[in-house]
Amino acid sequence: MGMFEDFRFSLLGGFALSLLLVLAQDQTGFISLACGLPENSSYSDPTTDIYYISDASFVSTGAIMSVSPEFRTNEVRQQLWNVRSFPDGDRNCYYIRHTAGVRYLIRGTFMYGNYDAKGELPVFDLHIGPNKCDSLKFESASAVIYKEIIHVPSSSYIHVCLLNTDSGTPFISALELRPLRNNTYVSESGNSLALVARADTGATGSQIFRYKDDKFDRIWSTESFSVWTSLSTPLIVNAGQNPYEPPSVVMSTAATTKDANTSLNFYWDVPPNDNSGYYIYMHFAEVEELKANQYRAFNVNLNGNFWYGPVVPDYLYDFTVYSQSALTGGRFNFSLTRTENSTLPPIINAVEIYKVIQLLQTETGQEDVDAIINTKLIYGVTRNWQGDPCFPQAYMWN
Ligand SMILES: *[C@@H]1O[C@H](CO)[C@@H](O)[C@H](O)[C@H]1NC(C)=O
Ligand SMILES: *[C@@H]1O[C@H](CO)[C@@H](O)[C@H](O)[C@H]1NC(C)=O
Ligand SMILES: *[C@@H]1O[C@H](CO)[C@@H](O)[C@H](O)[C@H]1NC(C)=O
Ligand SMILES: *[C@@H]1O[C@H](CO)[C@@H](O)[C@H](O)[C@H]1NC(C)=O
Ligand SMILES: *[C@@H]1O[C@H](CO)[C@@H](O)[C@H](O)[C@H]1NC(C)=O
């Protein structure tokens, strides 16, 4: 079958760099908390224009700390300069009210920055309500970790909790909620999706794009695709009817193979015995104005079997191909292969990969929580008086 040059997706991480601002968009429905910012303080981020407020009215525990001075530079976004750390209690939670039934992208951002001057990277867990979403492990003091899930909360509030696992003090730098369209990122059975990778394929720099380029403030990072080559256009790529609306700046570059007969392959690693389901979203747009004798069409194969096609990207209009149900089986080897009559190699402009997470236990009824929250306010109880009061057993409230 010729030559195969595979690209493996690495997991999220890396550093936030500069952004380009192009389009003005409003921030309706955004909840942007700069954790550890003094109470009642706020600011607009100079690069993104995102309006951040203090997290103080969303959490009643924790200490405000600043990262060490070498991390408070212009290259490091202001949200990362402070953290809220939780030296007390096994479980500390943010309580955020929002609109019930809305699909949200919920993102925690974490940079250790040696805020406690101990130089020890902590390990801790992140929960949504009673459900564990992920564990946090840092590779360095300057590593910025983003944890994102797409979730439709059934109630009008959400608890985002940090759990102490006896491996250091939990902390958080920023917490953000972004409303998404309700016909995007839909999983079977209403399960939630945790971000594995979101890549601006074909980009040549190391820029990161988010709001305002992306009206939903998804963060798109460049991957280094040495085995592929890039195509680009200086023109605007339109979303048309595509509800995913990947940003034009991301869609205006595409990865392709060096010759038409080579497949464009990529895969991601799944830990052994991990039977999780995955969803993939591949975003395509033609970025070259094709001549009369040129034609680009390709099929998408998964693990050697036909999966979708043919894809014939429209010039300067984007199109998203995605899984309608969870992909399972522990092996996810995608191969984009030109059709017989295609004269040009396959392309891909952007790709997103998500893992299904089941947030099984339902949170306690709204009335109960409101009653407990009121009790808290009246009696001024602070320690551990947060999160879903009933689950899990190990963290039952007193
Ligand atoms: C924050 O604002 C509230 C309401 O205006 C006020 O009661 C509180 O004292 C302020 N807190 C600080 C630290 O200024
Ligand atoms: C999705 O959103 C649209 C517009 O906001 C609304 O009219 C529609 O009822 C929603 N659909 C569902 C299933 O929530
Ligand atoms: C690609 O394949 C076609 C037919 O299979 C062949 O004619 C052509 O020479 C090949 N091109 C390259 C660059 O290998
Ligand atoms: C992906 O599939 C292609 C053939 O479809 C194969 O040559 C390649 O080795 C596979 N890569 C991985 C990592 O499984
Ligand atoms: C390429 O082949 C497909 C399927 O055989 C056909 O539908 C399409 O019209 C062809 N395109 C061109 C430009 O020949």
Side-chain angles (χ1 to χ4, degrees):
M1 290 187 68
M3 182 172 67
F4 284 94
E5 294 181 296
D6 289 354
F7 178 77
R8 186 180 69 84
F9 275 98
S10 54
L11 300 185
L12 281 179
F15 227 88
L17 296 171
S18 59
L19 306 177
L20 281 184
L21 301 184
V22 185
L23 305 165
Q25 306 271 6
D26 73 41
Q27 298 178 33
T28 306
F30 281 25
I31 296 173
S32 309
L33 306 182
C35 304
L37 193 67
E39 189 176 354
N40 298 343
S41 309
S42 64
Y43 64 88
S44 285
D45 184 281
T47 11
T48 61
D49 250 10
I50 295 172
Y51 181 70
Y52 287 91
I53 60 172
S54 163
D55 62 340
S57 45
F58 299 84
V59 63
S60 57
T61 53
I64 292 182
M65 305 291 280
S66 296
V67 299
S68 99
E70 66 263 35
F71 300 105
R72 298 171 62 117
T73 64
N74 287 339
E75 285 73 47
V76 177
R77 290 186 299 125
Q78 201 176 333
Q79 302 85 264
L80 304 172
W81 291 12
N82 296 312
V83 301
R84 182 173 292 271
S85 88
F86 299 96
D88 299 319
D90 293 333
R91 170 182 162 93
N92 285 276
C93 301
Y94 283 81
Y95 175 81
I96 301 174
R97 288 196 170 277
H98 55 70
T99 314
V102 169
R103 183 173 308 273
Y104 275 102
L105 183 161
I106 302 167
R107 175 169 53 228
T109 305
F110 307 83
M111 186 188 80
Y112 170 60
N114 200 21
Y115 75 85
D116 55 2
K118 288 182 182 163
E120 286 170 14
L121 303 170
V123 176
F124 54 91
D125 287 350
L126 181 66
H127 283 215
I128 298 289
N131 303 280
K132 180 175 169 180
C133 292
D134 222 327
S135 291
L136 278 113
K137 289 190 184 73
F138 298 86
E139 280 175 6
S140 69
S142 63
V144 180
I145 297 186
Y146 299 109
K147 290 293 179 190
E148 274 189 26
I149 71 157
I150 292 175
H151 176 55
V152 185
S154 52
S155 52
S156 60
Y157 64 92
I158 189 165
H159 287 113
V160 177
C161 306
L162 303 179
L163 272 81
N164 190 318
T165 55
D166 287 333
S167 312
T169 302
F171 73 90
I172 184 166
S173 309
L175 183 56
E176 300 168 309
L177 270 72
R178 307 288 182 244
L180 299 172
R181 292 217 169 92
N182 62 9
N183 57 347
T184 59
Y185 305 105
V186 178
S187 66
E188 288 172 301
S189 337
N191 285 327
S192 302
L193 300 176
L195 185 63
V196 174
R198 183 184 293 122
D200 176 6
T201 48
T204 48
S206 56
Q207 275 169 329
I208 286 182
F209 296 108
R210 58 181 294 183
Y211 188 82
K212 295 172 182 177
D213 292 306
D214 188 319
K215 67 189 290 186
F216 303 110
D217 194 24
R218 289 163 295 193
I219 296 178
W220 302 84
S221 51
T222 313
E223 298 272 5
S224 165
F225 297 93
S226 59
V227 295
W228 297 344
T229 182
S230 291
L231 301 175
S232 68
T233 177
L235 303 175
I236 297 288
V237 179
N238 305 282
Q241 299 296 309
N242 184 357
Y244 288 91
E245 265 189 79
S248 174
V249 67
V250 168
M251 296 303 288
S252 64
T253 56
T256 187
T257 54
K258 287 169 180 159
D259 77 73
N261 291 348
T262 306
S263 302
L264 199 155
N265 297 331
F266 58 88
Y267 65 98
W268 62 92
D269 283 335
V270 174
N273 306 319
D274 179 347
N275 301 317
S276 305
Y278 287 83
Y279 281 78
I280 186 167
Y281 300 84
M282 286 177 262
H283 307 288
F284 300 106
E286 182 57 74
V287 293
E288 290 190 314
E289 198 169 4
L290 304 188
K291 301 187 186 80
N293 62 346
Q294 291 183 312
Y295 181 62
R296 192 192 311 275
F298 50 90
N299 290 318
V300 180
N301 298 310
L302 173 56
N303 298 332
N305 301 313
F306 175 84
W307 188 70
Y308 184 88
V311 177
V312 184
D314 281 338
Y315 183 50
L316 302 182
Y317 275 89
D318 61 51
F319 176 66
T320 298
V321 172
Y322 56 93
S323 29
Q324 307 269 353
S325 56
L327 305 172
T328 53
R331 184 162 175 265
F332 308 100
N333 182 0
F334 280 87
S335 182
L336 278 47
T337 310
R338 74 169 177 86
T339 61
E340 288 279 297
N341 59 2
S342 177
T343 63
L344 296 168
I347 59 171
I348 188 164
N349 307 60
V351 61
E352 295 172 84
I353 299 160
Y354 294 85
K355 178 176 171 170
V356 173
I357 53 168
Q358 292 178 325
L359 301 185
L360 285 175
Q361 296 161 322
T362 54
E363 294 210 17
T364 307
Q366 178 73 59
E367 302 74 22
D368 298 351
V369 169
D370 282 345
I372 292 167
I373 298 282
N374 288 336
T375 309
K376 182 194 100 177
L377 294 178
I378 292 164
Y379 297 108
V381 178
T382 52
R383 193 178 179 279
N384 246 2
W385 195 253
Q386 297 164 316
D388 188 293
C390 301
F391 293 100
Q393 292 293 327
Y395 298 100
M396 185 84 92
W397 289 4
N398 299 327

